[in-house]
Amino acid sequence: MQGETETNHFRGRLRYNQVKSTAIELDGFMRSIIMSILKGETTAKAVEEQYGIDSETIRHKINEFVQSDKSFLKEYIAYQNKKGHDYGYINFIGLIVEMIKSDVSQSEIAREYGIPSRVISREIEKLGKSDNPEEVKLYDIAKICADRKMRRVALSRLERVLYTRLVDEMFGDVPIMNEKSRTDLEIERLEEFMKQVQANQNQGLTVEQVAERLGTSVSTIRRNRLKLEELRCKKRIKAELEESGEKELE
């Protein structure tokens, strides 16, 4: 009975406002709807049909809650884990920064968020090979902290203050969830690469000369061009499916 009353109240607010669902005030009821979606108790499509809240608004609210509330972030990770093991939506720099500032081990942060410890280790190793000096520094700090945890030697108060200050100066308050999907990030990377290729070709260089200048191969340029076209095509098809209602939530 209580649930039915809340539903009728919410619908009444929709009719009263006579505006798009993007203008609905965030409240406990909206948060409970989003949490129910993440827990698998309902779907975005069902919510849209029941309450008239469009899927784009639902997606926006999920991102908003996940960015600001750790309980929603954990449920979102669990939700994504049920669909597969693509962690492209995770900003691992943010996760590693939190690990350092919270003074916890890789295993502890992995258990807290439901991400395999080996995945976090792999992402830390990637930082050590980065061209960004700040990411390399983050790698160094993470390795020092991990070594101390493994040897069960606590950081001194001065060390904790120093490392926290360093990561704050370099990265600030970093969200753990990427606002962009892995596909979007990969498209951006490939577009930047192809811009460099095109810029060199505009100077009259052949593909072979461009490859040599960029330190890559002709086959890599060809593969990246095809991969970019493929990802753009998939993204366009996905958008069309979502628009037609065949895709519920990504």
Side-chain angles (χ1 to χ4, degrees):
M1 178 65 69
Q2 183 179 358
E4 184 178 347
T5 301
E6 288 177 341
T7 299
N8 291 335
H9 171 68
F10 193 72
R11 284 175 171 168
R13 285 172 59 195
L14 287 173
R15 289 193 297 270
Y16 177 78
N17 288 336
Q18 292 184 345
V19 294
K20 291 184 178 180
S21 56
T22 51
I24 297 174
E25 177 188 0
L26 294 180
D27 57 15
F29 191 61
M30 188 68 182
R31 293 175 72 86
S32 69
I33 288 175
I34 299 303
M35 184 61 79
S36 293
I37 292 173
L38 296 180
K39 286 180 175 292
E41 298 168 353
T42 186
T43 65
K45 185 176 181 180
V47 168
E48 182 173 5
E49 292 175 350
Q50 185 173 2
Y51 301 110
I53 306 173
D54 61 271
S55 58
E56 186 59 33
T57 296
I58 293 170
R59 192 174 293 107
H60 171 75
K61 296 306 180 186
I62 287 175
N63 182 67
E64 184 175 322
F65 290 145
V66 166
Q67 296 286 3
S68 61
D69 190 323
K70 188 176 289 188
S71 63
F72 279 87
L73 175 59
K74 292 178 181 178
E75 288 296 338
Y76 184 80
I77 292 173
Y79 171 85
Q80 291 289 352
N81 282 344
K82 294 174 184 177
K83 297 167 59 178
H85 299 291
D86 182 350
Y87 296 99
Y89 59 92
I90 296 291
N91 180 356
F92 281 95
I93 287 181
L95 191 70
I96 294 164
V97 165
E98 179 174 322
M99 181 184 74
I100 293 169
K101 292 169 72 172
S102 302
D103 191 27
V104 297
S105 67
Q106 290 180 35
S107 298
E108 289 172 314
I109 201 80
R111 283 196 299 271
E112 181 175 359
Y113 287 101
I115 302 170
S117 183
R118 66 180 181 278
V119 173
I120 298 174
S121 296
R122 185 171 65 239
E123 295 298 327
I124 291 175
E125 291 302 320
K126 286 181 182 179
L127 294 176
K129 302 173 184 177
S130 173
D131 295 329
N132 185 332
E134 291 185 342
E135 292 184 358
V136 174
K137 185 63 178 177
L138 181 62
Y139 164 82
D140 292 336
I141 295 172
K143 295 297 283 187
I144 291 171
C145 294
D147 177 67
R148 293 291 187 88
K149 290 294 181 185
M150 187 170 59
R151 294 190 291 114
R152 298 184 180 180
V153 178
L155 295 172
S156 68
R157 182 176 180 278
L158 179 60
E159 286 174 321
R160 288 193 60 184
V161 170
L162 174 62
Y163 292 150
T164 297
R165 182 177 299 171
L166 280 173
V167 295
D168 271 337
E169 289 176 352
M170 291 188 296
F171 300 101
D173 188 15
V174 188
I176 294 178
M177 194 186 88
N178 281 321
E179 294 186 8
K180 298 177 181 178
S181 68
R182 171 164 290 185
T183 298
D184 288 331
L185 293 171
E186 181 66 3
I187 287 175
E188 287 183 4
R189 184 189 70 80
L190 291 171
E191 285 178 339
E192 181 58 33
F193 176 81
M194 295 311 302
K195 281 181 183 178
Q196 295 180 40
V197 171
Q198 189 60 53
N200 281 280
Q201 288 184 317
N202 290 343
Q203 297 176 17
L205 274 62
T206 65
V207 177
E208 289 77 10
Q209 291 170 326
V210 172
E212 184 177 357
R213 175 175 288 187
L214 296 180
T216 186
S217 65
V218 173
S219 60
T220 297
I221 293 175
R222 186 180 301 112
R223 282 198 304 271
N224 282 352
R225 181 180 287 111
L226 292 174
K227 184 65 175 178
L228 179 58
E229 292 174 358
E230 177 187 349
L231 290 177
R232 283 173 171 169
C233 180
K234 286 183 178 179
K235 184 178 179 179
R236 184 173 62 254
I237 293 172
K238 176 184 170 184
E240 291 171 354
L241 289 174
E242 289 180 342
E243 186 176 349
S244 67
E246 293 181 35
K247 190 87 171 177
E248 292 178 3
L249 177 68
E250 188 60 36

